[in-house]
Amino acid sequence: MENHGRGHDPRPEGGGAPPPDPLPYEGVWRFTAAAVDASVPQARRAVRDLLQRQGVPVSEDLVYGLLLIVSELVTNAVKHAALLSPMLAVEVAVGAEWVRVSVEDNHPYRPTALEADHGQTGGRGLLLVREVAREAGGVVDVEHTSNGGKVIWAALPLKPATLP
């Protein structure tokens, strides 16, 4: 996997007051890999190692959820997009209070979370991603890219969600 670090400010650009100095663990990192089965565990290890190396204050439960999300999204890209997108990208963006993982491919199909038949094995990956994110107090979305592909991302808070 290639690592393309992109600095220390994952926040969107915009007007207003300048942002405070970033915390030591803030930044955006991007890994590229071939859309093959071996990339799933490689992506998981790369994300886990990055979180550790940067000293991101994540709980074990949050790390587990993030790695599950990465596994599901990379698996989906390998299974469903590899024909039109032989490469994929995994991006990790860390802010002061959140972490966002995304997987990008060049396939134009925008997946939807389908209710799968309980007797069926597979087909629940995006549902699982949405549920993991929801339980952590985060969000998931799919966006089109400028090159006609898509990026699927999940953003989770670094602090545990408080349930009502």
Side-chain angles (χ1 to χ4, degrees), residues 18-62:
D21 288 337
L23 295 168
Y25 57 81
E26 288 185 85
V28 179
W29 298 268
R30 186 173 178 91
F31 308 93
T32 58
V36 296
D37 289 338
S39 294
V40 177
Q42 288 175 349
R44 213 173 27 244
R45 272 192 306 276
V47 170
R48 184 193 63 229
D49 293 350
L50 172 70
L51 295 172
Q52 278 185 316
R53 186 174 62 250
Q54 293 304 122
V56 180
V58 288
S59 68
E60 281 187 44
D61 287 344
L62 187 62

Short mmCIF file of all heavy atoms in Angstrom, two decimals, residues 18-62:
data_model
loop_
_atom_site.label_atom_id
_atom_site.label_comp_id
_atom_site.label_asym_id
_atom_site.label_seq_id
_atom_site.Cartn_x
_atom_site.Cartn_y
_atom_site.Cartn_z
N PRO A 18 -9.09 31.85 11.94
CA PRO A 18 -8.16 30.76 11.64
C PRO A 18 -8.34 29.64 12.66
O PRO A 18 -8.63 29.89 13.83
CB PRO A 18 -6.77 31.40 11.77
CG PRO A 18 -6.99 32.65 12.53
CD PRO A 18 -8.41 33.07 12.35
N PRO A 19 -8.18 28.41 12.22
CA PRO A 19 -8.36 27.30 13.16
C PRO A 19 -7.25 27.30 14.20
O PRO A 19 -6.16 27.80 13.96
CB PRO A 19 -8.27 26.06 12.27
CG PRO A 19 -7.50 26.50 11.07
CD PRO A 19 -7.79 27.97 10.90
N PRO A 20 -7.55 26.74 15.37
CA PRO A 20 -6.49 26.64 16.38
C PRO A 20 -5.40 25.70 15.89
O PRO A 20 -5.60 24.93 14.95
CB PRO A 20 -7.23 26.05 17.60
CG PRO A 20 -8.44 25.40 17.05
CD PRO A 20 -8.79 26.13 15.80
N ASP A 21 -4.25 25.78 16.53
CA ASP A 21 -3.17 24.87 16.15
C ASP A 21 -3.66 23.44 16.25
O ASP A 21 -4.33 23.07 17.22
CB ASP A 21 -1.96 25.07 17.07
CG ASP A 21 -1.23 26.37 16.79
OD1 ASP A 21 -1.35 26.88 15.65
OD2 ASP A 21 -0.54 26.87 17.69
N PRO A 22 -3.33 22.62 15.27
CA PRO A 22 -3.81 21.23 15.31
C PRO A 22 -3.16 20.45 16.44
O PRO A 22 -2.04 20.74 16.85
CB PRO A 22 -3.40 20.67 13.95
CG PRO A 22 -2.30 21.56 13.47
CD PRO A 22 -2.53 22.91 14.09
N LEU A 23 -3.91 19.47 16.91
CA LEU A 23 -3.36 18.56 17.91
C LEU A 23 -2.36 17.66 17.22
O LEU A 23 -2.41 17.47 16.00
CB LEU A 23 -4.49 17.76 18.54
CG LEU A 23 -5.48 18.61 19.35
CD1 LEU A 23 -6.72 17.80 19.69
CD2 LEU A 23 -4.82 19.13 20.61
N PRO A 24 -1.44 17.05 17.96
CA PRO A 24 -0.39 16.23 17.34
C PRO A 24 -0.91 15.09 16.49
O PRO A 24 -0.24 14.65 15.57
CB PRO A 24 0.40 15.69 18.54
CG PRO A 24 0.03 16.53 19.69
CD PRO A 24 -1.30 17.14 19.40
N TYR A 25 -2.09 14.59 16.78
CA TYR A 25 -2.61 13.44 16.02
C TYR A 25 -3.49 13.84 14.85
O TYR A 25 -3.95 12.98 14.10
CB TYR A 25 -3.38 12.49 16.96
CG TYR A 25 -4.52 13.13 17.71
CD1 TYR A 25 -5.76 13.32 17.10
CD2 TYR A 25 -4.37 13.51 19.03
CE1 TYR A 25 -6.81 13.89 17.80
CE2 TYR A 25 -5.41 14.07 19.74
CZ TYR A 25 -6.64 14.27 19.12
OH TYR A 25 -7.67 14.83 19.81
N GLU A 26 -3.76 15.13 14.63
CA GLU A 26 -4.63 15.54 13.54
C GLU A 26 -3.91 15.46 12.20
O GLU A 26 -2.72 15.71 12.09
CB GLU A 26 -5.10 16.98 13.76
CG GLU A 26 -6.12 17.11 14.86
CD GLU A 26 -6.66 18.52 14.96
OE1 GLU A 26 -7.60 18.83 14.22
OE2 GLU A 26 -6.10 19.30 15.77
N GLY A 27 -4.67 15.08 11.16
CA GLY A 27 -4.11 15.02 9.82
C GLY A 27 -4.97 14.20 8.89
O GLY A 27 -6.02 13.69 9.26
N VAL A 28 -4.50 14.10 7.65
CA VAL A 28 -5.18 13.31 6.63
C VAL A 28 -4.12 12.43 5.97
O VAL A 28 -3.07 12.92 5.56
CB VAL A 28 -5.85 14.21 5.56
CG1 VAL A 28 -6.51 13.36 4.49
CG2 VAL A 28 -6.85 15.16 6.20
N TRP A 29 -4.41 11.14 5.90
CA TRP A 29 -3.50 10.18 5.28
C TRP A 29 -4.28 9.35 4.27
O TRP A 29 -5.42 8.99 4.50
CB TRP A 29 -2.89 9.27 6.34
CG TRP A 29 -2.08 10.04 7.32
CD1 TRP A 29 -0.74 10.28 7.25
CD2 TRP A 29 -2.54 10.70 8.50
NE1 TRP A 29 -0.34 11.04 8.33
CE2 TRP A 29 -1.43 11.31 9.11
CE3 TRP A 29 -3.79 10.83 9.12
CZ2 TRP A 29 -1.53 12.04 10.30
CZ3 TRP A 29 -3.89 11.55 10.29
CH2 TRP A 29 -2.77 12.15 10.86
N ARG A 30 -3.63 9.05 3.16
CA ARG A 30 -4.29 8.31 2.07
C ARG A 30 -3.40 7.15 1.64
O ARG A 30 -2.21 7.34 1.41
CB ARG A 30 -4.54 9.27 0.91
CG ARG A 30 -5.34 8.69 -0.22
CD ARG A 30 -5.64 9.82 -1.21
NE ARG A 30 -6.37 9.37 -2.35
CZ ARG A 30 -7.68 9.35 -2.45
NH1 ARG A 30 -8.41 9.76 -1.44
NH2 ARG A 30 -8.28 8.93 -3.54
N PHE A 31 -3.98 5.97 1.56
CA PHE A 31 -3.29 4.77 1.13
C PHE A 31 -3.94 4.28 -0.16
O PHE A 31 -5.16 4.27 -0.26
CB PHE A 31 -3.42 3.66 2.18
CG PHE A 31 -3.03 4.08 3.56
CD1 PHE A 31 -3.96 4.58 4.46
CD2 PHE A 31 -1.71 3.99 3.96
CE1 PHE A 31 -3.59 4.97 5.73
CE2 PHE A 31 -1.32 4.38 5.24
CZ PHE A 31 -2.26 4.87 6.13
N THR A 32 -3.14 3.89 -1.12
CA THR A 32 -3.69 3.30 -2.34
C THR A 32 -3.30 1.83 -2.40
O THR A 32 -2.25 1.44 -1.87
CB THR A 32 -3.20 4.03 -3.60
OG1 THR A 32 -1.77 4.00 -3.63
CG2 THR A 32 -3.70 5.47 -3.63
N ALA A 33 -4.16 1.05 -3.03
CA ALA A 33 -3.91 -0.39 -3.13
C ALA A 33 -4.65 -0.94 -4.34
O ALA A 33 -5.61 -0.34 -4.83
CB ALA A 33 -4.38 -1.10 -1.87
N ALA A 34 -4.20 -2.09 -4.77
CA ALA A 34 -4.91 -2.80 -5.84
C ALA A 34 -6.24 -3.31 -5.29
O ALA A 34 -6.36 -3.63 -4.10
CB ALA A 34 -4.07 -3.97 -6.34
N ALA A 35 -7.24 -3.38 -6.15
CA ALA A 35 -8.56 -3.88 -5.74
C ALA A 35 -8.56 -5.40 -5.77
O ALA A 35 -9.16 -6.04 -6.64
CB ALA A 35 -9.64 -3.30 -6.63
N VAL A 36 -7.83 -5.99 -4.83
CA VAL A 36 -7.70 -7.44 -4.70
C VAL A 36 -7.95 -7.84 -3.25
O VAL A 36 -7.82 -7.01 -2.34
CB VAL A 36 -6.30 -7.94 -5.16
CG1 VAL A 36 -6.08 -7.66 -6.65
CG2 VAL A 36 -5.20 -7.32 -4.33
N ASP A 37 -8.28 -9.11 -3.04
CA ASP A 37 -8.60 -9.60 -1.69
C ASP A 37 -7.52 -9.29 -0.66
O ASP A 37 -7.82 -8.96 0.49
CB ASP A 37 -8.86 -11.10 -1.71
CG ASP A 37 -10.17 -11.46 -2.41
OD1 ASP A 37 -11.06 -10.59 -2.50
OD2 ASP A 37 -10.29 -12.61 -2.86
N ALA A 38 -6.26 -9.39 -1.05
CA ALA A 38 -5.16 -9.16 -0.10
C ALA A 38 -5.15 -7.73 0.44
O ALA A 38 -4.56 -7.47 1.50
CB ALA A 38 -3.82 -9.47 -0.77
N SER A 39 -5.80 -6.81 -0.24
CA SER A 39 -5.82 -5.42 0.22
C SER A 39 -6.71 -5.22 1.44
O SER A 39 -6.56 -4.22 2.15
CB SER A 39 -6.28 -4.50 -0.91
OG SER A 39 -5.31 -4.50 -1.93
N VAL A 40 -7.64 -6.12 1.69
CA VAL A 40 -8.54 -5.96 2.85
C VAL A 40 -7.74 -6.00 4.15
O VAL A 40 -7.78 -5.04 4.93
CB VAL A 40 -9.68 -7.00 2.82
CG1 VAL A 40 -10.56 -6.87 4.06
CG2 VAL A 40 -10.52 -6.85 1.54
N PRO A 41 -6.99 -7.07 4.44
CA PRO A 41 -6.22 -7.06 5.69
C PRO A 41 -5.10 -6.00 5.69
O PRO A 41 -4.76 -5.46 6.74
CB PRO A 41 -5.65 -8.48 5.81
CG PRO A 41 -5.71 -9.04 4.43
CD PRO A 41 -6.86 -8.36 3.75
N GLN A 42 -4.55 -5.70 4.51
CA GLN A 42 -3.52 -4.66 4.44
C GLN A 42 -4.10 -3.31 4.84
O GLN A 42 -3.46 -2.55 5.58
CB GLN A 42 -2.94 -4.58 3.03
CG GLN A 42 -2.06 -5.73 2.67
CD GLN A 42 -1.60 -5.66 1.22
OE1 GLN A 42 -2.09 -4.88 0.41
NE2 GLN A 42 -0.65 -6.51 0.87
N ALA A 43 -5.29 -2.99 4.37
CA ALA A 43 -5.92 -1.72 4.71
C ALA A 43 -6.23 -1.66 6.20
O ALA A 43 -6.01 -0.63 6.85
CB ALA A 43 -7.19 -1.52 3.89
N ARG A 44 -6.73 -2.75 6.73
CA ARG A 44 -7.04 -2.80 8.16
C ARG A 44 -5.79 -2.56 8.99
O ARG A 44 -5.79 -1.74 9.92
CB ARG A 44 -7.63 -4.19 8.47
CG ARG A 44 -8.64 -4.21 9.54
CD ARG A 44 -9.34 -5.53 9.75
NE ARG A 44 -8.61 -6.72 9.38
CZ ARG A 44 -8.97 -7.56 8.41
NH1 ARG A 44 -10.05 -7.34 7.69
NH2 ARG A 44 -8.26 -8.62 8.15
N ARG A 45 -4.69 -3.25 8.64
CA ARG A 45 -3.42 -3.06 9.38
C ARG A 45 -2.91 -1.63 9.23
O ARG A 45 -2.42 -1.03 10.19
CB ARG A 45 -2.36 -4.04 8.87
CG ARG A 45 -2.38 -5.36 9.58
CD ARG A 45 -1.14 -6.20 9.26
NE ARG A 45 -0.92 -6.39 7.83
CZ ARG A 45 -1.51 -7.33 7.09
NH1 ARG A 45 -2.36 -8.15 7.64
NH2 ARG A 45 -1.24 -7.43 5.81
N ALA A 46 -3.00 -1.08 8.02
CA ALA A 46 -2.50 0.28 7.79
C ALA A 46 -3.26 1.30 8.64
O ALA A 46 -2.66 2.20 9.23
CB ALA A 46 -2.61 0.63 6.30
N VAL A 47 -4.58 1.14 8.73
CA VAL A 47 -5.38 2.07 9.54
C VAL A 47 -5.05 1.90 11.02
O VAL A 47 -4.83 2.88 11.74
CB VAL A 47 -6.88 1.89 9.26
CG1 VAL A 47 -7.73 2.68 10.26
CG2 VAL A 47 -7.21 2.32 7.82
N ARG A 48 -5.00 0.67 11.48
CA ARG A 48 -4.68 0.41 12.89
C ARG A 48 -3.30 0.98 13.25
O ARG A 48 -3.14 1.68 14.25
CB ARG A 48 -4.71 -1.09 13.19
CG ARG A 48 -4.47 -1.40 14.66
CD ARG A 48 -4.20 -2.86 14.93
NE ARG A 48 -2.96 -3.24 14.25
CZ ARG A 48 -2.83 -4.31 13.47
NH1 ARG A 48 -3.83 -5.12 13.28
NH2 ARG A 48 -1.67 -4.57 12.89
N ASP A 49 -2.32 0.70 12.41
CA ASP A 49 -0.96 1.19 12.67
C ASP A 49 -0.90 2.71 12.64
O ASP A 49 -0.19 3.32 13.45
CB ASP A 49 0.03 0.60 11.66
CG ASP A 49 0.21 -0.90 11.82
OD1 ASP A 49 -0.28 -1.48 12.83
OD2 ASP A 49 0.80 -1.52 10.91
N LEU A 50 -1.61 3.33 11.73
CA LEU A 50 -1.64 4.79 11.65
C LEU A 50 -2.22 5.40 12.92
O LEU A 50 -1.65 6.34 13.48
CB LEU A 50 -2.45 5.24 10.43
CG LEU A 50 -2.69 6.74 10.34
CD1 LEU A 50 -1.40 7.47 10.03
CD2 LEU A 50 -3.75 7.05 9.31
N LEU A 51 -3.34 4.86 13.39
CA LEU A 51 -3.95 5.39 14.61
C LEU A 51 -2.99 5.28 15.79
O LEU A 51 -2.86 6.21 16.58
CB LEU A 51 -5.25 4.64 14.91
CG LEU A 51 -6.38 4.83 13.89
CD1 LEU A 51 -7.54 3.89 14.20
CD2 LEU A 51 -6.84 6.27 13.83
N GLN A 52 -2.29 4.15 15.88
CA GLN A 52 -1.31 3.96 16.97
C GLN A 52 -0.14 4.92 16.82
O GLN A 52 0.26 5.58 17.77
CB GLN A 52 -0.78 2.53 16.97
CG GLN A 52 -1.67 1.55 17.65
CD GLN A 52 -1.02 0.18 17.70
OE1 GLN A 52 -0.44 -0.28 16.73
NE2 GLN A 52 -1.10 -0.47 18.85
N ARG A 53 0.43 4.97 15.62
CA ARG A 53 1.62 5.79 15.37
C ARG A 53 1.35 7.27 15.64
O ARG A 53 2.20 7.98 16.17
CB ARG A 53 2.09 5.58 13.94
CG ARG A 53 3.38 6.26 13.59
CD ARG A 53 3.89 5.90 12.20
NE ARG A 53 2.97 6.31 11.14
CZ ARG A 53 2.24 5.48 10.38
NH1 ARG A 53 2.30 4.18 10.55
NH2 ARG A 53 1.44 5.95 9.45
N GLN A 54 0.17 7.74 15.29
CA GLN A 54 -0.17 9.15 15.47
C GLN A 54 -0.63 9.45 16.90
O GLN A 54 -0.79 10.61 17.26
CB GLN A 54 -1.26 9.57 14.49
CG GLN A 54 -0.82 9.56 13.04
CD GLN A 54 0.40 10.44 12.81
OE1 GLN A 54 1.43 9.96 12.35
NE2 GLN A 54 0.31 11.70 13.12
N GLY A 55 -0.87 8.42 17.69
CA GLY A 55 -1.32 8.63 19.07
C GLY A 55 -2.74 9.14 19.15
O GLY A 55 -3.09 9.90 20.06
N VAL A 56 -3.59 8.71 18.22
CA VAL A 56 -4.99 9.15 18.22
C VAL A 56 -5.68 8.55 19.45
O VAL A 56 -5.59 7.34 19.69
CB VAL A 56 -5.70 8.70 16.92
CG1 VAL A 56 -7.16 9.15 16.93
CG2 VAL A 56 -4.98 9.26 15.70
N PRO A 57 -6.36 9.39 20.23
CA PRO A 57 -7.00 8.90 21.46
C PRO A 57 -8.30 8.15 21.17
O PRO A 57 -9.40 8.67 21.30
CB PRO A 57 -7.27 10.19 22.24
CG PRO A 57 -7.46 11.23 21.19
CD PRO A 57 -6.54 10.83 20.07
N VAL A 58 -8.16 6.89 20.76
CA VAL A 58 -9.32 6.07 20.42
C VAL A 58 -9.45 4.91 21.39
O VAL A 58 -8.45 4.32 21.80
CB VAL A 58 -9.23 5.52 18.97
CG1 VAL A 58 -9.45 6.61 17.96
CG2 VAL A 58 -7.90 4.84 18.71
N SER A 59 -10.68 4.59 21.75
CA SER A 59 -10.92 3.45 22.61
C SER A 59 -10.78 2.16 21.79
O SER A 59 -10.83 2.20 20.56
CB SER A 59 -12.33 3.53 23.20
OG SER A 59 -13.29 3.36 22.17
N GLU A 60 -10.65 1.05 22.47
CA GLU A 60 -10.57 -0.24 21.78
C GLU A 60 -11.84 -0.49 20.97
O GLU A 60 -11.79 -1.00 19.85
CB GLU A 60 -10.36 -1.38 22.78
CG GLU A 60 -8.94 -1.52 23.24
CD GLU A 60 -8.76 -2.76 24.10
OE1 GLU A 60 -9.29 -3.83 23.72
OE2 GLU A 60 -8.10 -2.65 25.13
N ASP A 61 -13.00 -0.12 21.54
CA ASP A 61 -14.26 -0.31 20.83
C ASP A 61 -14.31 0.52 19.55
O ASP A 61 -14.78 0.04 18.52
CB ASP A 61 -15.45 0.07 21.71
CG ASP A 61 -15.73 -0.95 22.81
OD1 ASP A 61 -15.22 -2.09 22.71
OD2 ASP A 61 -16.45 -0.61 23.76
N LEU A 62 -13.81 1.75 19.61
CA LEU A 62 -13.82 2.60 18.43
C LEU A 62 -12.86 2.06 17.37
O LEU A 62 -13.20 2.03 16.18
CB LEU A 62 -13.47 4.04 18.78
CG LEU A 62 -13.61 5.04 17.63
CD1 LEU A 62 -15.04 5.11 17.15
CD2 LEU A 62 -13.12 6.40 18.05
#
